[in-house]
């Protein structure tokens, strides 16, 4: 498959670069710092769910830093080669433009998966000897969900990179998307939550105030990730709101959990397709 060939070359080029080694080192240091910050007192242990559900991992590390890294690493995936002229050489081989776009998504997502996996696994193995009561299935499942989130932002960045004609536009788009989805989204929801939580909301909307808030949370890939990952860590994923295996009550219904998975899948597919639509008609 041509997609596989493009993805393999993109991955190999990425893993040979110095930024991948730097990212791996940064993730090991950050996760190690988190394990140290949330460690219990002497003689006590804490479960994997306490680590993964902490604000340090969920908000400071996963949903803030990983989207930024994914966007920065992937924003020039297509447009960078387009400006340098190497894209013409790539397309001279038996690769279609669709092969290039989706191959770049797979290659960059695979490259980013390396530092994320190393960064999570090494400190956990060390901490498991000490205070961490490691639950391998929960921990590995959380890493996989984190890789889905990073892949979604890679797909967004590559789609944008395929749809624009210059690195300057690609950088502006990546920065704008990051600020929209990470810091600004919460700022937008806060006044709406206050307004709709007190019974407000226009009557002409075909959705209730609580439904609108839930939709806003699902649209953001980090919001969908928090729903899925939180339920998974608490042992309540697909439990229909029943008490999870870890003793926590599932805060979301089955339909919301399925919608969150569907939204993450949409972010993996729709941005590259939109970028490909613009890329197909572009004059290189």
């Amino acid at each position: 498959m041509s997609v596989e060939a493009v993805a393999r070359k993109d991955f190999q080029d990425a893993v040979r670069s110095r930024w991948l080694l730097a990212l791996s080192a940064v993730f090991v240091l950050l996760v190690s710092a988190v394990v140290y910050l949330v460690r219990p007192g002497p003689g006590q242990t804490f479960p994997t769910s306490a680590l993964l559900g902490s604000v340090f991992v969920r908000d400071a590390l996963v949903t803030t830093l990983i989207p930024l890294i994914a966007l920065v690493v992937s924003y020039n995936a297509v447009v960078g080669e387009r400006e340098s002229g190497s894209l013409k050489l790539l397309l001279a081989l038996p690769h279609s433009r669709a092969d290039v776009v989706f191959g770049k998504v797979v290659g960059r997502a695979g490259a980013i998966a390396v530092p994320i996996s190393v960064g999570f696994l090494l400190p956990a193995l060390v901490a498991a000897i000490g205070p961490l009561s490691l639950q391998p299935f929960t921990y590995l499942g959380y890493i996989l969900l984190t890789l889905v989130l990073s892949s979604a932002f890679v797909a967004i960045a590559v789609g944008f990179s395929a749809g624009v004609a210059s690195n300057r536009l690609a950088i502006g788009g990546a920065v704008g998307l990051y600020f929209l989805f990470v810091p600004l989204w919460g700022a937008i929801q806060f006044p709406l939550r206050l307004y709709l939580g007190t019974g407000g909301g226009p009557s002409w909307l075909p959705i209730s105030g609580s439904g609108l808030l839930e939709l806003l949370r699902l649209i953001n890939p980090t919001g969908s990730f928090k729903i899925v990952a939180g339920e998974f860590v608490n042992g309540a994923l697909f439990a229909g709101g029943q008490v999870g295996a870890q003793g926590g009550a599932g805060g979301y219904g089955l339909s919301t959990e399925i919608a969150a998975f569907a939204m993450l899948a949409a972010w993996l597919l729709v941005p590259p397709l939109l970028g490909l639509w613009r890329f197909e008609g572009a004059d290189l």
Side-chain angles (χ1 to χ4, degrees):
M1 290 179 60
S2 292
V3 171
E4 181 183 351
V6 174
R8 186 186 302 112
K9 181 181 183 302
D10 199 62
F11 176 81
Q12 291 171 348
D13 291 342
V15 297
R16 283 195 292 262
S17 63
R18 293 180 179 178
W19 66 259
L20 193 69
L21 294 175
L23 282 179
S24 300
V26 167
F27 264 92
V28 170
L29 291 175
L30 287 175
V31 180
S32 299
V34 167
V35 172
Y36 177 80
L37 288 173
V38 301
R39 74 193 189 285
Q44 298 178 347
T45 60
F46 66 109
T48 302
S49 57
L51 172 64
L52 299 179
S54 69
V55 67
F56 297 100
V57 171
R58 184 191 61 201
D59 296 325
L61 184 60
V62 175
T63 59
T64 298
L65 185 59
I66 287 178
L68 177 62
I69 292 174
L71 290 171
V72 169
V73 167
S74 307
Y75 78 89
N76 67 341
V78 179
V79 74
E81 294 201 29
R82 183 175 175 179
E83 285 196 337
S84 68
S86 60
L87 186 59
K88 292 182 178 179
L89 297 176
L90 183 61
L91 290 174
L93 299 172
H95 303 312
S96 66
R97 298 194 182 196
D99 294 333
V100 171
V101 172
F102 285 98
K104 293 288 185 179
V105 171
V106 175
R108 296 295 165 106
I112 292 176
V114 174
I116 292 175
S117 301
V118 172
F120 271 108
L121 287 174
L122 286 183
L125 294 176
V126 174
I129 303 174
L132 179 63
S133 176
L134 186 64
Q135 298 160 297
F137 174 76
T138 300
Y139 202 84
L140 292 175
Y142 190 86
I143 293 175
L144 290 176
L145 290 174
T146 302
L147 295 182
V148 172
L149 177 67
S150 66
S151 299
F153 276 94
V154 167
I156 292 170
V158 172
F160 202 91
S161 180
V164 298
S166 69
N167 257 320
R168 184 173 60 183
L169 290 174
I171 293 173
V175 171
L177 288 170
Y178 176 77
F179 278 98
L180 172 64
F181 283 136
V182 180
L184 292 181
W185 205 265
I188 293 171
Q189 288 190 78
F190 181 71
L192 283 175
R193 191 174 298 277
L194 292 177
Y195 173 56
L196 298 174
T198 57
S203 59
W204 50 265
L205 278 177
I207 188 174
S208 64
S210 60
L212 178 60
L213 288 174
E214 183 175 296
L215 179 61
L216 286 174
R217 186 173 190 183
L218 285 168
I219 288 175
N220 191 327
T222 63
S224 291
F225 167 80
K226 286 181 180 180
I227 291 173
V228 173
E231 296 289 83
F232 175 75
V233 168
N234 290 325
L237 187 63
F238 300 138
Q242 300 174 1
V243 176
Q246 305 302 324
Y252 300 95
L254 180 62
S255 60
T256 300
E257 294 166 355
I258 293 175
F261 268 112
M263 191 60 67
L264 287 172
W267 282 115
L268 284 168
L269 293 174
V270 174
L273 288 173
L274 291 176
L276 176 62
W277 174 63
R278 291 289 305 273
F279 186 45
E280 288 283 10
D283 184 9
L284 303 181

